[in-house]
Amino acid sequence: MRAWVVDSPGPVRTGPLVLTDRPLPEPGPGEVRVRVRCCGVCRTDLHLAEGDLAPRAPRITPGHEVVGVVDALGSAVTRLGIGQRVGVAWLGGADGSCRFCREGRENLCLAPTFTGWDVHGGYAQACVADERFVYVLPDGLDDDQAAPLLCAGIIGYRALRTASVPPGGSLGVYGFGGSAHLTAQLALRQGLRVHVLTRGSHNRALAAELGCDSVGGPTDSPPELLDGAILFAPAGELVPVALGALGRGGTLAVAGIWLSDIPPLNYQADLFNERVLRSVTANTRADGEEFLRLAQRLDVRAVDVRDDRLDRDR
Ligand SMILES: [Zn+2]
Ligand SMILES: [Zn+2]
């Protein structure tokens, strides 16, 4: 089968991804093989290809927004059957036995397996996955709509919950790409006021089109104090900016797996009054199941977004 692999991590223009030929993988015990129909491109794939995140296996195939159909079952598979349409996401496995797994926080597992980082992902004609970590996709959701929900959507959902905005409250969204535009739709439909602070003109127009309450540049002040905010842009310099826009007791959730360095914070200016700064690390399967149900019910739809860097480079 054909598969893309990260050969030597480096800037995308140097071609770190290489197309190769590999035998079709055979599913092991408890695993299924998924024939890939489509796979989304997540910012994390870019971080891996460009070497921001250290490789955890040589010549790995990225891709963790995989939509496909089960076409082979390993031994002891009980949950899934041949022909079922499924999604394979970032959390490919957890040990189930560490303190965090036992507490229902498998996103913090001490021995996790990530799709497209530890094991081959979906930039290929097929991949294998632990059936316990595979999502059965609802009917009525097209393949290309389902794919971005599997990481951009799920992580955004966890970030939204982490930002702890009370019902009817205000949410700041810093950076407006794949994950943010899905999260903003969810927040709006749940009755929050959403203020978007981002650079790219294309994505600013998109934020306005989706009905966000205000749209400004990344360092602008939103029109009201924020009850919570999510930093989607991997830009550490925005942390004090976003903290400064929070009201008392507000939370800033950093959604990315990678962030450039955060400048020194000033306790009084940036954190006092019980403002909270939190990261968001992967997700639990329960997050994924909840989000996929909500996304379908509230008709959260992926549309064309653009990497803000394209605007900057122009
Ligand atoms: Zn664990
Ligand atoms: Zn991702």
Side-chain angles (χ1 to χ4, degrees), residues 95-98 101 109-110:
D95 62 10
S97 58
C98 75
C101 284
C109 179
L110 296 172

Side-chain angles (χ1 to χ4, degrees), residues 42 44 64-65 151:
C42 171
T44 299
H64 54 272
E65 294 180 335
C151 183

Side-chain angles (χ1 to χ4, degrees), residues 12 24 56-57 71 91 100 107 134 183 199-200 220 228 258-260 263 265 283 297 300 311:
V12 156
L24 201 57
R56 304 214 321 188
D71 84 332
L91 185 65
F100 298 100
N107 62 308
V134 165
T183 310
R199 195 170 45 199
D220 290 349
W258 182 90
L259 191 70
S260 62
L265 295 179
N283 63 277
R297 183 157 64 79
V300 170
D311 276 334

